[in-house]
Amino acid sequence: MPPGPRKPRVRSYDPAKVRAALEGQVRAVRDVVDVVCAEPDAPALLAKRTRLGEWTVRELIVHLAGAWELLPHRLAEPGPLPARAEAGLLDYVGGLASRAAAVARDTAAGAAAFADVEPKSMAARLDQAAGRLADALAAADPAALVPTAFGAMTVADFTVTRLVETVVHGDDLADATGVAVRHDRQALAAVTRLLADALAAKAPGGSVEVRIPPFAVVQCVAGPKHTRGTPPNVVETDPLTWIRLATGRTEWSTALSDAAVTASGERADISGQLPLLT
C-alpha cells in the first residue's frame, strides 16, 4: 500500500521570543504612525488609499488597533473552552481568506467612529491598543486557550497571528505613506517561516525547493523528490518579497520581472499556489 499524504509540518515558536518580537514590531509600527500623524499634511495622508483596495491609511490604523486588542478581548470572553486547542497556525493561515469580508465590515465600522478624529488622537488610539496588548501578554499563560473564529487556540499561537498582522500591515503602512518601517528581525523571521510552512502544507511534495534566506527553506509541490546535490527546481527570494507574494501584495510575474525572485527549473513556477492569504 502506498504511503498516505505527508502531514504538514508544524513549526514551534518560543513564546518568550515571539512576545519580544511582537513588542519590537509594535514599536516599529507605532513609530511610523507617529511620524505620519505629526506631518503637516497628516489629514491627507490618513485619507490616502492603500494597496488594500478601499482601505485608507486611517482604516488600516484602526484595523491594526483592533488586531492588537483582540487578544485581551478574547481572554476576557466568558464561557467554557475545550480541553485542548482546536486550531493551529496553519488553520489560521488557511482560513483568513474566508474571513476577509467580515474583517472588512468590522474595519469599516470601526473607522467610521474615527472619521473626524484628529491625527494625534489616531496615534493615541494605536498607543492605547498597544498598551492593552502588552498588559495581556504579560499576564497570560502561553498555554492557555482563547476562542477564535477558527476554534480554540493557545495564547502562544494566537500571539504569532498578531505578529503576522503587525508585520504585514506595517509593510502596508510603509507602502502607503512612504515612511519606512524598521521591521523587527525576529518578527520578520517568524512570519517568513510560518508562510513558508503554509506553502509546504498547501502544495505538499519535494520537487521544488523554496529558499528565503536567511530564515527559511522548504520543499513543496508534488513530483520527483530531490535528495542530493543541487535541486533541479529552485525558487529564491528575500523575506519581504516572500511575505508580499504570500499575502497577495506582489504578483509573481512582477517579482520575476523586477528580479526580486529567481525561479529555475521546469517546476519552479509556484504562481498557482499564491497568494496563501489575502
Side-chain angles (χ1 to χ4, degrees):
M1 179 180 294
R6 184 177 59 184
K7 290 185 178 180
R9 178 185 181 188
V10 180
R11 195 186 303 257
S12 61
Y13 297 85
D14 181 271
K17 291 182 178 179
V18 170
R19 176 183 167 185
L22 181 55
E23 290 172 346
Q25 190 65 29
V26 165
R27 284 194 298 271
V29 170
R30 288 169 67 190
D31 286 346
V32 172
V33 174
D34 285 345
V35 170
V36 168
C37 290
E39 291 288 336
D41 60 343
L45 283 172
L46 291 173
K48 188 177 179 182
R49 296 288 182 186
T50 70
R51 61 189 178 190
L52 301 177
E54 294 300 314
W55 280 16
T56 63
V57 171
R58 185 184 295 271
E59 288 169 320
L60 189 51
I61 293 170
V62 169
H63 175 76
L64 273 165
W68 293 350
E69 290 176 330
L70 197 53
L71 177 59
H73 286 167
R74 295 297 192 193
L75 287 169
E77 286 185 11
L81 288 170
R84 58 176 57 90
E86 300 168 318
L89 291 172
L90 296 182
D91 299 305
Y92 160 78
V93 174
L96 274 181
S98 66
R99 293 279 303 154
V103 169
R105 286 195 302 269
D106 291 345
T107 298
F114 290 89
D116 300 318
V117 170
E118 291 295 319
K120 289 184 179 180
S121 296
M122 287 298 301
R125 167 77 176 90
L126 199 65
D127 288 345
Q128 291 167 2
R132 294 187 184 107
L133 175 61
D135 291 344
L137 288 172
D141 177 358
L145 297 180
V146 291
T148 79
F150 312 104
M153 183 179 285
T154 65
V155 168
D157 279 352
F158 197 75
T159 304
V160 178
T161 72
R162 300 309 87 192
L163 202 54
V164 174
E165 292 273 353
T166 308
V167 168
V168 172
H169 289 313
D171 191 46
D172 291 332
L173 272 175
D175 176 78
T177 64
V179 180
V181 59
R182 300 185 305 276
H183 291 287
D184 180 274
R185 178 180 171 82
Q186 291 305 313
L188 205 59
V191 176
T192 297
R193 290 166 182 154
L194 174 56
L195 295 177
D197 291 346
L199 171 65
K202 181 178 181 180
S207 68
V208 179
E209 185 166 284
V210 178
R211 301 171 178 172
I212 311 138
F215 299 136
V217 177
V218 296
Q219 292 190 348
C220 59
V221 182
K225 184 176 180 180
H226 169 74
T227 56
R228 303 177 67 181
T230 303
N233 303 287
V234 176
V235 173
E236 185 165 335
T237 189
D238 63 276
L240 270 179
T241 298
W242 168 241
I243 290 169
R244 292 164 186 164
L245 284 166
T247 60
R249 270 63 174 177
T250 296
E251 296 287 339
W252 174 262
S253 58
T254 301
L256 277 176
S257 63
D258 290 345
V261 62
T262 59
S264 60
E266 62 181 14
R267 295 175 178 268
D269 183 346
I270 59 170
S271 59
Q273 310 301 333
L274 301 172
L276 299 173
L277 57 92
T278 54

